[in-house]
Amino acid sequence: MNMPIAAITLDLDDTLWPFAPIASHIDQVLDRWLRTHSPATAERFPIPAMQQLRERTWQAHPELAHDLSALRRITLEAAFQASGAPLELVQPAYEAFYAARNTVTFYDDALDALQRIAARFPIAALTNGNADLAAIGIDHLFAFQLGAREHGAAKPAPSIFHAACAQLGVPPPQVLHVGDHIELDVAGAQRAGLRGCWINRIGAQWNHPALQPDLHFDTLTGLADWLDAHVAA
């Protein structure tokens, strides 16, 4: 396959690490923090109620769909207000959340494959989430991180892909975007003129009616092996 690739853009959640365990850990850490620092809030909003409040907040603020950090802060503000707790607790509660959010467990293959790919290509992290590569300890493997919050729009908007390509200094047809989500990652990248690689760890069926991924692997190692075999250094 003739596919000139000069740079990589890479999704994070559910591509390098599973997000569901992180979400569960966040809920537990935040609940413990509230029970220590604001028992009235913890009593009013146990984990299921806090999850429901978060969902209501997100639904009430579609204009912030690209900014998960802002939505989390608004959720905390609402919880503290409803329970009569001081809003000064928002920042330390957010800090407890954010530390838990950046406690990740990589897929078994991911870190080694990421290191292999980073040794050959500039990689930009391109994410709708709010992970912090420095806090996780892998920022040295990336040229930069571009989040939906910083850009002002989330994948699959073409503009976020184009902004990453511009910052990489590489035209879209020579950039391969790698991610787990059919629409947000692969189809979004392809519509923006990039190549799209689907990392399908869960054995899902491709269901996009009009597009096919340029590449498809069940691990990031599969991509690293393909790049070694097919793309000249």
Side-chain angles (χ1 to χ4, degrees):
M1 180 183 296
N2 181 18
M3 190 184 303
I5 297 170
I8 306 285
T9 55
L10 182 67
D11 176 57
L12 299 176
D13 292 326
D14 291 320
T15 298
L16 293 182
W17 50 73
F19 183 72
I22 299 173
S24 177
H25 180 60
I26 288 169
D27 288 341
Q28 294 165 13
V29 166
L30 187 56
D31 184 67
R32 289 195 298 269
W33 191 93
L34 291 172
R35 292 188 184 281
T36 298
H37 299 280
S38 184
T41 308
E43 183 68 22
R44 177 76 180 269
F45 294 99
I47 289 174
M50 185 65 81
Q51 291 171 335
Q52 292 168 6
L53 177 61
R54 186 178 70 240
E55 290 300 321
R56 291 196 300 272
T57 300
W58 291 4
Q59 291 172 9
H61 295 279
E63 76 282 3
L64 293 175
H66 65 285
D67 191 344
L68 301 185
S69 294
L71 289 169
R72 179 68 66 166
R73 288 180 183 275
I74 293 171
T75 301
L76 290 169
E77 289 174 3
F80 289 133
Q81 286 178 332
S83 57
L87 292 183
E88 288 80 1
L89 292 175
V90 170
Q91 182 58 29
Y94 180 84
E95 290 171 0
F97 146 75
Y98 202 54
R101 195 268 177 265
N102 288 303
T103 302
V104 308
T105 300
F106 291 93
Y107 290 113
D108 289 344
D109 71 293
L111 192 53
D112 178 70
L114 177 62
Q115 291 169 334
R116 288 173 56 194
I117 296 169
R120 299 191 58 211
F121 300 93
I123 305 177
L126 194 58
T127 177
N128 286 355
N130 52 3
D132 184 328
L133 297 182
I136 294 167
I138 56 171
D139 55 316
H140 63 287
L141 298 174
F142 291 82
F144 60 88
Q145 176 175 353
L146 180 59
R149 177 186 182 186
E150 293 75 23
H151 177 67
K155 296 178 297 183
S159 64
I160 192 169
F161 293 101
H162 293 159
C165 293
Q167 193 166 341
L168 285 164
V170 178
Q174 296 179 28
V175 177
L176 177 69
H177 179 70
V178 181
D180 70 288
H181 200 283
I182 291 173
E183 175 61 27
L184 301 184
D185 288 310
V186 184
Q190 289 178 319
R191 284 196 295 268
L194 289 72
R195 304 285 189 165
C197 174
W198 188 30
I199 303 298
N200 175 23
R201 296 181 181 276
I202 61 175
Q205 295 297 311
W206 181 264
N207 60 11
H208 197 284
L211 298 171
Q212 291 293 320
D214 293 289
L215 296 170
H216 174 195
F217 305 101
D218 58 8
T219 64
L220 198 63
T221 294
L223 172 61
D225 290 343
W226 188 92
L227 291 169
D228 286 346
H230 292 89
V231 181

